[in-house]
Amino acid sequence: MLTTQRKQSILDRLARDGQVVAKVLAEEWQTSEDTIRRDLRELAQAGRLQRVHGGALPVAAAAGDLSVREQLSPQDKTELGRYGASLIRPGQVVILDGGTTAVQIARHLDPALRATVVTHSPTVAVAASAHPHVEILMLGGRLFRHSMVNIGAGVIAAAAQLRADLYFMGVTGVHPQAGLTTGDAEEAAVKRALHERAADTIVLASAEKLMAASPFVVGGLKEATSIVVPAATTERTLKALRSAGATASRPTPSARA
């Protein structure tokens, strides 16, 4: 098998199975593990996959900056944002993470809702400000322009003073083996801190995040109270997530309406 054919076969296998193991591929294709590892390394350098010990996982397309993410699965995010907004009850304290799905939650809040939204995202705060009865609490820190969120010790210290009802966590990868992942170490630390301060953590995962991985782990799939996926998500993907311990489901039809 030529190098180009082998690399394409690796990518095809990743798309089909959600992971590849170097030893298994070497045996199947009757080549050395070193050859497969070199292919994986070169594909990783080209941004085509995420290397892990012994093999590789699909790379998260959602790891791009906010302008890139705005172009990915916009219908999914509107659907998920509307569903997330429907879960918020009057009087609750709700943490909204950064990201395009969180913006959709803020945009679809009930106009009559009286609640408190806590966020470290200026973009989310602006979207939530259109709702006059929603109190907005900003967590300050260093602005990470890639994701348009504040990060750092100041955000984590402020989070320690919270006791929230819900946390809508944004991630760039949701994978049975890799768990909940994101593309920046400081972002991952902030997400863990916010998760610890909420009674329930909900992950709204659009299609490009499913069965994909980014370099920095936020936590296992079991860490989330629920993972909500688009209505068009296959049963195979749902089964894979649930087999890893996730409480995964699609939005209910009434909430999508």
Side-chain angles (χ1 to χ4, degrees):
M1 188 182 296
L2 298 175
T3 300
T4 54
Q5 294 174 317
R6 204 168 51 240
K7 288 181 177 179
Q8 186 57 53
S9 295
I10 289 171
L11 296 174
D12 292 343
R13 189 71 61 91
L14 275 174
R16 189 190 75 186
D17 298 340
Q19 64 177 328
V20 295
V21 178
K23 182 177 181 180
V24 172
L25 293 183
E27 292 174 353
E28 181 179 336
W29 296 341
Q30 297 183 346
T31 189
S32 69
E33 283 190 55
D34 284 343
T35 296
I36 300 298
R37 291 195 189 97
R38 183 177 65 248
D39 290 342
L40 296 180
R41 183 169 60 251
E42 291 174 357
L43 286 168
Q45 290 170 345
R48 305 296 301 279
L49 54 76
Q50 178 68 48
R51 291 185 70 199
V52 295
H53 180 72
L57 303 175
V59 69
D65 64 20
L66 203 62
S67 63
V68 171
R69 280 180 268 169
E70 286 174 344
Q71 310 305 315
L72 300 174
S73 307
Q75 292 183 331
D76 282 357
K77 291 170 182 176
T78 299
E79 173 190 46
L80 293 170
R82 183 181 292 114
Y83 176 73
S86 76
L87 300 179
I88 302 172
R89 299 291 175 256
Q92 287 188 324
V93 176
V94 179
I95 304 172
L96 292 185
D97 211 335
T100 49
T101 304
V103 168
Q104 290 299 323
I105 297 173
R107 287 176 179 170
H108 287 92
L109 294 174
D110 186 329
L113 178 70
R114 295 182 181 273
T116 299
V117 166
V118 182
T119 186
H120 60 309
S121 165
T123 309
V124 171
V126 169
S129 69
H131 301 274
H133 305 302
V134 173
E135 183 177 355
I136 301 168
L137 176 62
M138 286 286 297
L139 304 180
R142 177 175 64 85
L143 181 64
F144 180 42
R145 287 182 174 83
H146 178 275
S147 300
M148 287 304 291
V149 292
N150 297 326
I151 57 175
V155 178
I156 293 174
Q161 309 304 314
L162 296 173
R163 184 173 287 112
D165 298 288
L166 295 176
Y167 169 37
F168 288 95
M169 177 191 287
V171 294
T172 55
V174 178
H175 192 281
Q177 282 74 48
L180 304 170
T181 56
T182 193
D184 180 80
E186 284 193 90
E187 263 198 294
V190 169
K191 293 176 190 295
R192 287 191 294 269
L194 295 173
H195 165 67
E196 291 172 0
R197 306 310 302 171
D200 292 302
T201 293
I202 299 171
V203 174
L204 305 176
S206 47
E208 77 281 357
K209 300 174 184 178
L210 300 175
M211 308 303 289
S214 291
F216 299 99
V217 177
V218 180
L221 298 188
K222 295 179 182 179
E223 294 291 316
T225 307
S226 66
I227 298 174
V228 184
V229 301
T233 302
T234 64
E235 284 295 332
R236 178 180 180 180
T237 296
L238 275 172
K239 183 178 179 180
L241 298 177
R242 289 166 179 165
S243 296
T247 302
S249 63
R250 303 181 182 93
T252 58
S254 60
R256 298 202 307 267

